[in-house]
Amino acid sequence: MENVLVTGASGGIGTALCVAFAQTGRNVAVHYHNNRQQAENLAGVLSDTYKVKAVAVQADVADRQSVNAMFDSVSAELGGIDILVNNAGIAQQKLFTELTQDDWKTMISTDLDGVFNCAQEALKRYMLPKHSGVILNISSMWGQVGASCEAHYSAAKAGVIGLTKALAKELGLSGIRVNCIAPGVVMTDMMKDFDEQTIAELKEETPLNTLGTPKDIADAAVFLCSDRAKFITGQVLGVNGGFII
């Protein structure tokens, strides 16, 4: 039975990812930063409903020592992982000229450094010694084309895409696949600051004339992490309803 670590698991997409992997019979490490109760509740639901082993693990993905401690917990609870899903991230809307150095550093350290920290630790501890594994990074369509008033977010997510492609080339001979999902507009808590008119306009701009759900991302993730995608690596899958083509 494979083990999966999902970072940022207490959010909308993260929760859907955990459920989707548990439905396939995989054990799940449910990562959280601050939402301990929510993560523990989710782990309990996964264990009870799908009869898999699910544990909540804490870390600030931007802090390497915190990440190392999380992987210690994962090793103790599950023995290791076969699949890493780097989903943890933050977002912020702000004019570029109004960004502070703290705004920039916080965004990059969470959305990009967090991927680096978790991926490197997973590779060193589990995947390279076993000569197998899958890393799936969650980026954004704004990492592909950029977004006004989200320069730091776009830059971080573009970095995730570049890292994905570089690692796929570096790790292919080690039997490790690395891919990326670039979600479009997905109805999660990150959308709570958008008014109804803006959301309606985003829907109209989407060729399928609908917005995404966390399950849409989770279904794509399960596929990319499965043997059905064994010849797919270094790719960026846009799950965006045609918003970016």
Side-chain angles (χ1 to χ4, degrees):
M1 183 181 290
E2 289 184 321
N3 300 327
V4 185
L5 168 60
V6 178
T7 69
S10 60
I13 291 177
T15 296
L17 287 165
C18 291
V19 170
F21 280 111
Q23 286 176 329
T24 65
R26 294 178 172 94
N27 299 320
V28 183
V30 180
H31 160 262
Y32 68 95
H33 184 194
N34 296 313
N35 297 325
R36 176 179 178 179
Q37 192 61 55
Q38 191 169 342
E40 290 181 344
N41 289 344
L42 175 58
V45 170
L46 297 178
S47 298
D48 294 342
T49 304
Y50 304 108
K51 310 306 177 187
V52 299
K53 187 167 185 179
V55 295
V57 292
Q58 193 277 338
D60 174 0
V61 296
D63 182 271
R64 187 53 178 260
Q65 289 187 334
S66 183
V67 167
N68 289 350
M70 174 180 68
F71 274 91
D72 288 341
S73 297
V74 170
S75 295
E77 295 285 351
L78 299 180
I81 60 168
D82 305 284
I83 298 168
L84 168 64
V85 182
N86 283 308
N87 172 68
I90 58 173
Q92 183 186 41
Q93 290 77 45
K94 204 169 184 180
L95 286 171
F96 179 72
T97 51
E98 295 180 359
L99 288 176
T100 66
Q101 284 191 322
D102 283 344
D103 290 333
W104 179 268
K105 289 178 180 178
T106 298
M107 183 65 67
I108 298 299
S109 65
T110 301
D111 287 21
L112 182 54
D113 292 354
V115 175
F116 166 80
N117 289 333
C118 293
Q120 193 176 69
E121 201 63 26
L123 287 166
K124 287 181 176 181
R125 292 193 186 217
Y126 315 121
M127 297 182 182
L128 287 171
K130 292 192 304 181
H131 216 71
S132 68
V134 178
I135 297 174
L136 178 64
N137 299 321
I138 307 299
S139 180
S140 166
M141 64 180 179
W142 302 133
Q144 297 174 291
V145 299
S148 174
C149 297
E150 295 187 67
H152 53 337
Y153 178 78
S154 300
K157 291 300 188 179
V160 170
I161 290 172
L163 180 59
T164 297
K165 294 180 178 182
L167 285 179
K169 292 181 177 180
E170 184 173 329
L171 298 171
L173 290 177
S174 296
I176 299 164
R177 297 189 298 108
V178 188
N179 286 298
C180 182
I181 291 176
V185 183
V186 178
M187 292 306 297
T188 67
D189 286 344
M190 282 191 176
M191 296 295 294
K192 65 184 178 183
D193 293 330
F194 290 82
D195 57 38
E196 292 185 6
Q197 181 180 346
T198 301
I199 292 175
E201 291 172 353
L202 289 169
K203 181 178 177 180
E204 289 179 4
E205 290 182 57
T206 304
L208 289 181
N209 196 35
T210 187
L211 300 184
T213 68
K215 187 176 184 301
D216 294 325
I217 309 304
D219 288 343
V222 169
F223 166 71
L224 285 174
C225 293
S226 73
D227 286 342
R228 291 177 295 167
K230 64 182 180 181
F231 197 52
I232 300 175
T233 195
Q235 303 305 304
V236 181
L237 177 60
V239 184
N240 60 34
F243 198 108
I244 298 299
I245 296 176

